[in-house]
Short mmCIF file of all heavy atoms in Angstrom, two decimals:
data_model
loop_
_atom_site.label_atom_id
_atom_site.label_comp_id
_atom_site.label_asym_id
_atom_site.label_seq_id
_atom_site.Cartn_x
_atom_site.Cartn_y
_atom_site.Cartn_z
N ILE A 196 7.80 8.33 87.48
CA ILE A 196 8.59 7.65 88.51
C ILE A 196 9.78 6.95 87.88
O ILE A 196 10.89 6.95 88.43
CB ILE A 196 7.70 6.66 89.30
CG1 ILE A 196 6.78 7.44 90.25
CG2 ILE A 196 8.55 5.66 90.09
CD1 ILE A 196 5.68 6.61 90.84
N LEU A 199 12.28 9.61 87.16
CA LEU A 199 12.90 10.10 88.39
C LEU A 199 13.90 9.08 88.94
O LEU A 199 15.00 9.45 89.36
CB LEU A 199 11.82 10.39 89.43
CG LEU A 199 10.94 11.62 89.16
CD1 LEU A 199 9.75 11.66 90.10
CD2 LEU A 199 11.76 12.90 89.31
N ASN A 200 13.53 7.81 88.95
CA ASN A 200 14.45 6.78 89.46
C ASN A 200 15.74 6.75 88.67
O ASN A 200 16.84 6.76 89.22
CB ASN A 200 13.76 5.41 89.40
CG ASN A 200 13.29 4.92 90.76
OD1 ASN A 200 13.97 5.13 91.77
ND2 ASN A 200 12.14 4.32 90.79
N VAL A 203 17.78 10.19 89.13
CA VAL A 203 18.42 10.36 90.44
C VAL A 203 19.61 9.42 90.57
O VAL A 203 20.65 9.79 91.11
CB VAL A 203 17.39 10.12 91.58
CG1 VAL A 203 18.09 10.12 92.93
CG2 VAL A 203 16.32 11.19 91.56
N LEU A 226 4.83 15.95 87.20
CA LEU A 226 4.15 15.20 88.26
C LEU A 226 3.37 16.14 89.17
O LEU A 226 2.24 15.85 89.58
CB LEU A 226 5.18 14.40 89.05
CG LEU A 226 4.64 13.42 90.09
CD1 LEU A 226 3.75 12.37 89.42
CD2 LEU A 226 5.80 12.73 90.80
N ALA A 237 -0.70 16.33 98.84
CA ALA A 237 0.51 15.75 99.42
C ALA A 237 1.56 15.51 98.33
O ALA A 237 2.75 15.77 98.54
CB ALA A 237 0.17 14.44 100.13
N ILE A 238 1.14 15.00 97.18
CA ILE A 238 2.07 14.76 96.07
C ILE A 238 2.54 16.10 95.49
O ILE A 238 3.71 16.25 95.12
CB ILE A 238 1.40 13.90 94.98
CG1 ILE A 238 0.87 12.60 95.57
CG2 ILE A 238 2.38 13.60 93.86
CD1 ILE A 238 1.92 11.71 96.16
N ASP A 240 2.94 18.95 97.11
CA ASP A 240 3.96 19.50 98.01
C ASP A 240 5.31 18.83 97.80
O ASP A 240 6.35 19.48 97.68
CB ASP A 240 3.53 19.30 99.47
CG ASP A 240 2.34 20.19 99.84
OD1 ASP A 240 1.88 20.95 98.97
OD2 ASP A 240 1.89 20.11 101.00
N LEU A 241 5.28 17.47 97.74
CA LEU A 241 6.52 16.72 97.63
C LEU A 241 7.20 16.95 96.28
O LEU A 241 8.41 17.16 96.21
CB LEU A 241 6.21 15.22 97.83
CG LEU A 241 7.40 14.29 98.10
CD1 LEU A 241 8.22 14.78 99.29
CD2 LEU A 241 6.91 12.87 98.37
N ALA A 242 6.42 16.91 95.21
CA ALA A 242 7.00 17.13 93.88
C ALA A 242 7.53 18.55 93.74
O ALA A 242 8.54 18.78 93.07
CB ALA A 242 5.95 16.84 92.81
N VAL A 244 8.83 20.53 96.13
CA VAL A 244 10.12 20.73 96.80
C VAL A 244 11.22 19.94 96.08
O VAL A 244 12.38 20.37 96.04
CB VAL A 244 10.01 20.34 98.29
CG1 VAL A 244 9.92 18.83 98.47
CG2 VAL A 244 11.17 20.90 99.10
N MET A 245 10.88 18.80 95.46
CA MET A 245 11.86 18.06 94.65
C MET A 245 12.27 18.89 93.45
O MET A 245 13.46 18.97 93.09
CB MET A 245 11.27 16.73 94.20
CG MET A 245 11.07 15.71 95.32
SD MET A 245 10.20 14.21 94.75
CE MET A 245 11.45 13.49 93.69
N GLU A 246 11.30 19.52 92.81
CA GLU A 246 11.61 20.36 91.66
C GLU A 246 12.53 21.51 92.05
O GLU A 246 13.50 21.82 91.34
CB GLU A 246 10.31 20.90 91.05
CG GLU A 246 10.53 21.78 89.84
CD GLU A 246 9.27 22.52 89.41
OE1 GLU A 246 8.25 22.42 90.12
OE2 GLU A 246 9.32 23.19 88.36
N PHE A 249 16.03 20.22 92.33
CA PHE A 249 16.69 20.00 91.04
C PHE A 249 17.06 21.32 90.37
O PHE A 249 18.12 21.44 89.75
CB PHE A 249 15.78 19.18 90.13
CG PHE A 249 15.48 17.80 90.64
CD1 PHE A 249 14.20 17.27 90.57
CD2 PHE A 249 16.50 17.03 91.20
CE1 PHE A 249 13.92 16.00 91.05
CE2 PHE A 249 16.23 15.74 91.67
CZ PHE A 249 14.94 15.24 91.60
N ASP A 263 21.76 13.06 100.08
CA ASP A 263 20.67 13.80 99.43
C ASP A 263 19.98 12.92 98.38
O ASP A 263 18.75 12.95 98.23
CB ASP A 263 21.22 15.07 98.76
CG ASP A 263 21.86 16.01 99.76
OD1 ASP A 263 21.49 15.95 100.95
OD2 ASP A 263 22.74 16.79 99.35
N VAL A 264 20.79 12.13 97.66
CA VAL A 264 20.22 11.21 96.69
C VAL A 264 19.32 10.19 97.38
O VAL A 264 18.25 9.84 96.89
CB VAL A 264 21.35 10.51 95.90
CG1 VAL A 264 20.79 9.38 95.03
CG2 VAL A 264 22.11 11.51 95.04
N ASP A 265 19.76 9.72 98.56
CA ASP A 265 18.94 8.79 99.33
C ASP A 265 17.58 9.40 99.66
O ASP A 265 16.54 8.75 99.54
CB ASP A 265 19.64 8.40 100.63
CG ASP A 265 20.82 7.46 100.39
OD1 ASP A 265 20.85 6.82 99.32
OD2 ASP A 265 21.71 7.39 101.25
N ALA A 266 17.59 10.67 100.10
CA ALA A 266 16.34 11.34 100.46
C ALA A 266 15.42 11.49 99.24
O ALA A 266 14.20 11.28 99.34
CB ALA A 266 16.64 12.71 101.07
N LEU A 267 16.00 11.83 98.10
CA LEU A 267 15.19 11.97 96.89
C LEU A 267 14.60 10.63 96.45
O LEU A 267 13.45 10.56 96.01
CB LEU A 267 16.05 12.57 95.77
CG LEU A 267 16.46 14.04 95.96
CD1 LEU A 267 17.55 14.43 94.97
CD2 LEU A 267 15.25 14.96 95.79
N LEU A 268 15.38 9.57 96.58
CA LEU A 268 14.87 8.25 96.22
C LEU A 268 13.76 7.81 97.16
O LEU A 268 12.80 7.14 96.75
CB LEU A 268 16.00 7.22 96.23
CG LEU A 268 17.00 7.33 95.07
CD1 LEU A 268 18.17 6.38 95.27
CD2 LEU A 268 16.32 7.04 93.74
N GLN A 269 13.86 8.20 98.46
CA GLN A 269 12.78 7.90 99.40
C GLN A 269 11.50 8.61 99.00
O GLN A 269 10.40 8.06 99.10
CB GLN A 269 13.19 8.31 100.82
CG GLN A 269 14.26 7.41 101.42
CD GLN A 269 14.84 7.96 102.71
OE1 GLN A 269 14.34 8.96 103.23
NE2 GLN A 269 15.90 7.34 103.21
N ALA A 270 11.64 9.82 98.49
CA ALA A 270 10.46 10.56 98.03
C ALA A 270 9.83 9.88 96.82
O ALA A 270 8.60 9.78 96.71
CB ALA A 270 10.86 12.00 97.68
N VAL A 271 10.67 9.39 95.92
CA VAL A 271 10.15 8.66 94.75
C VAL A 271 9.40 7.41 95.20
O VAL A 271 8.33 7.08 94.69
CB VAL A 271 11.29 8.31 93.78
CG1 VAL A 271 10.77 7.47 92.62
CG2 VAL A 271 11.97 9.57 93.25
N ASP A 272 9.97 6.70 96.18
CA ASP A 272 9.30 5.50 96.71
C ASP A 272 7.94 5.84 97.29
O ASP A 272 6.97 5.09 97.13
CB ASP A 272 10.15 4.85 97.79
CG ASP A 272 11.37 4.15 97.22
OD1 ASP A 272 11.38 3.90 95.99
OD2 ASP A 272 12.30 3.85 97.98
N LEU A 273 7.86 6.97 97.98
CA LEU A 273 6.60 7.38 98.61
C LEU A 273 5.53 7.66 97.55
O LEU A 273 4.38 7.24 97.68
CB LEU A 273 6.85 8.63 99.47
CG LEU A 273 5.74 9.05 100.43
CD1 LEU A 273 5.37 7.91 101.35
CD2 LEU A 273 6.16 10.27 101.22
N ILE A 274 5.93 8.34 96.48
CA ILE A 274 4.98 8.62 95.40
C ILE A 274 4.58 7.32 94.71
O ILE A 274 3.41 7.11 94.37
CB ILE A 274 5.61 9.60 94.39
CG1 ILE A 274 5.91 10.94 95.07
CG2 ILE A 274 4.69 9.82 93.19
CD1 ILE A 274 6.74 11.89 94.23
N GLN A 275 5.54 6.42 94.52
CA GLN A 275 5.23 5.13 93.90
C GLN A 275 4.25 4.34 94.76
O GLN A 275 3.35 3.68 94.25
CB GLN A 275 6.50 4.33 93.69
CG GLN A 275 6.27 3.03 92.92
CD GLN A 275 7.56 2.28 92.65
OE1 GLN A 275 8.54 2.46 93.37
NE2 GLN A 275 7.57 1.45 91.64
N GLY A 276 4.41 4.41 96.09
CA GLY A 276 3.48 3.73 96.97
C GLY A 276 2.06 4.22 96.80
O GLY A 276 1.10 3.44 96.82
N MET A 277 1.90 5.52 96.58
CA MET A 277 0.57 6.09 96.39
C MET A 277 -0.09 5.55 95.13
O MET A 277 -1.30 5.28 95.10
CB MET A 277 0.67 7.62 96.33
CG MET A 277 -0.66 8.36 96.31
SD MET A 277 -1.49 8.34 94.72
CE MET A 277 -0.22 9.03 93.69
N TRP A 288 -5.16 5.78 103.22
CA TRP A 288 -3.71 5.63 103.08
C TRP A 288 -3.00 6.97 103.28
O TRP A 288 -1.97 7.04 103.95
CB TRP A 288 -3.40 5.06 101.70
CG TRP A 288 -1.94 4.72 101.50
CD1 TRP A 288 -1.32 3.56 101.80
CD2 TRP A 288 -0.94 5.57 100.93
NE1 TRP A 288 0.01 3.61 101.47
CE2 TRP A 288 0.28 4.83 100.94
CE3 TRP A 288 -0.93 6.87 100.45
CZ2 TRP A 288 1.47 5.36 100.47
CZ3 TRP A 288 0.26 7.40 99.96
CH2 TRP A 288 1.44 6.66 99.97
N VAL A 295 4.86 10.51 107.31
CA VAL A 295 5.93 10.14 106.39
C VAL A 295 6.09 11.21 105.32
O VAL A 295 7.21 11.60 104.96
CB VAL A 295 5.63 8.78 105.75
CG1 VAL A 295 6.75 8.37 104.80
CG2 VAL A 295 5.43 7.71 106.81
N PHE A 296 4.97 11.71 104.77
CA PHE A 296 5.03 12.78 103.77
C PHE A 296 5.71 14.02 104.34
O PHE A 296 6.56 14.64 103.71
CB PHE A 296 3.62 13.13 103.29
CG PHE A 296 3.16 12.31 102.11
CD1 PHE A 296 2.34 11.22 102.29
CD2 PHE A 296 3.55 12.64 100.84
CE1 PHE A 296 1.91 10.46 101.22
CE2 PHE A 296 3.13 11.90 99.74
CZ PHE A 296 2.31 10.79 99.94
N THR A 298 7.77 14.28 106.93
CA THR A 298 9.19 14.06 107.22
C THR A 298 10.02 14.07 105.93
O THR A 298 11.09 14.67 105.87
CB THR A 298 9.37 12.72 107.95
OG1 THR A 298 8.59 12.72 109.14
CG2 THR A 298 10.83 12.50 108.31
N THR A 299 9.50 13.41 104.91
CA THR A 299 10.22 13.34 103.63
C THR A 299 10.34 14.73 103.01
O THR A 299 11.41 15.12 102.51
CB THR A 299 9.51 12.39 102.67
OG1 THR A 299 9.35 11.12 103.29
CG2 THR A 299 10.31 12.21 101.39
N ARG A 300 9.23 15.49 103.03
CA ARG A 300 9.27 16.83 102.46
C ARG A 300 10.25 17.71 103.22
O ARG A 300 11.02 18.48 102.64
CB ARG A 300 7.86 17.46 102.50
CG ARG A 300 7.76 18.78 101.73
CD ARG A 300 6.45 19.48 102.01
NE ARG A 300 6.31 19.78 103.42
CZ ARG A 300 6.95 20.77 104.04
NH1 ARG A 300 7.78 21.56 103.37
NH2 ARG A 300 6.79 20.98 105.32
N SER A 301 10.26 17.59 104.55
CA SER A 301 11.17 18.40 105.37
C SER A 301 12.62 18.01 105.11
O SER A 301 13.51 18.87 105.07
CB SER A 301 10.83 18.22 106.85
OG SER A 301 9.51 18.63 107.12
N THR A 302 12.86 16.71 104.91
CA THR A 302 14.23 16.25 104.64
C THR A 302 14.76 16.85 103.34
O THR A 302 15.91 17.29 103.26
CB THR A 302 14.26 14.72 104.56
OG1 THR A 302 13.77 14.17 105.78
CG2 THR A 302 15.68 14.22 104.33
N ILE A 303 13.91 16.87 102.31
CA ILE A 303 14.36 17.43 101.03
C ILE A 303 14.46 18.95 101.12
O ILE A 303 15.35 19.57 100.52
CB ILE A 303 13.39 17.01 99.92
CG1 ILE A 303 13.41 15.48 99.77
CG2 ILE A 303 13.76 17.65 98.58
CD1 ILE A 303 12.43 14.94 98.77
N ILE A 306 17.78 20.04 102.22
CA ILE A 306 18.85 20.06 101.23
C ILE A 306 19.03 21.48 100.69
O ILE A 306 20.16 21.93 100.45
CB ILE A 306 18.52 19.08 100.07
CG1 ILE A 306 18.39 17.65 100.60
CG2 ILE A 306 19.58 19.15 98.98
CD1 ILE A 306 17.93 16.65 99.55
N PRO A 319 11.98 7.37 107.16
CA PRO A 319 10.56 7.18 106.87
C PRO A 319 10.37 5.95 106.02
O PRO A 319 11.19 5.62 105.19
CB PRO A 319 10.18 8.45 106.09
CG PRO A 319 11.47 8.92 105.50
CD PRO A 319 12.53 8.56 106.49
N VAL A 321 7.43 3.59 103.74
CA VAL A 321 6.14 3.58 103.08
C VAL A 321 5.42 2.29 103.43
O VAL A 321 6.01 1.22 103.36
CB VAL A 321 6.31 3.69 101.55
CG1 VAL A 321 4.96 3.74 100.87
CG2 VAL A 321 7.13 4.93 101.22
N GLY A 332 12.94 -1.95 93.59
CA GLY A 332 12.70 -0.53 93.42
C GLY A 332 12.69 0.25 94.70
O GLY A 332 12.30 1.41 94.73
N THR A 334 14.59 1.54 98.59
CA THR A 334 15.87 1.71 99.26
C THR A 334 16.04 0.71 100.37
O THR A 334 17.13 0.53 100.89
CB THR A 334 15.97 3.13 99.85
OG1 THR A 334 14.88 3.32 100.75
CG2 THR A 334 15.92 4.16 98.78
N ARG A 481 18.15 0.55 90.44
CA ARG A 481 17.91 1.04 91.80
C ARG A 481 18.18 -0.06 92.83
O ARG A 481 18.79 0.19 93.88
CB ARG A 481 16.46 1.52 91.89
CG ARG A 481 16.01 1.89 93.29
CD ARG A 481 16.60 3.22 93.74
NE ARG A 481 16.22 3.48 95.11
CZ ARG A 481 15.03 3.96 95.47
NH1 ARG A 481 14.13 4.26 94.56
NH2 ARG A 481 14.77 4.18 96.74
#
Side-chain angles (χ1 to χ4, degrees):
I196 285 167
L199 289 169
N200 256 322
V203 173
L226 187 60
I238 305 298
D240 290 359
L241 194 55
V244 73
M245 291 174 69
E246 181 191 6
F249 297 137
D263 299 335
V264 172
D265 287 339
L267 290 167
L268 287 173
Q269 289 169 8
V271 176
D272 288 343
L273 192 56
I274 298 170
Q275 186 177 23
M277 188 283 304
W288 187 87
V295 181
F296 271 98
T298 303
T299 305
R300 189 191 60 76
S301 300
T302 302
I303 297 176
I306 299 174
V321 182
T334 58
R481 173 74 184 280

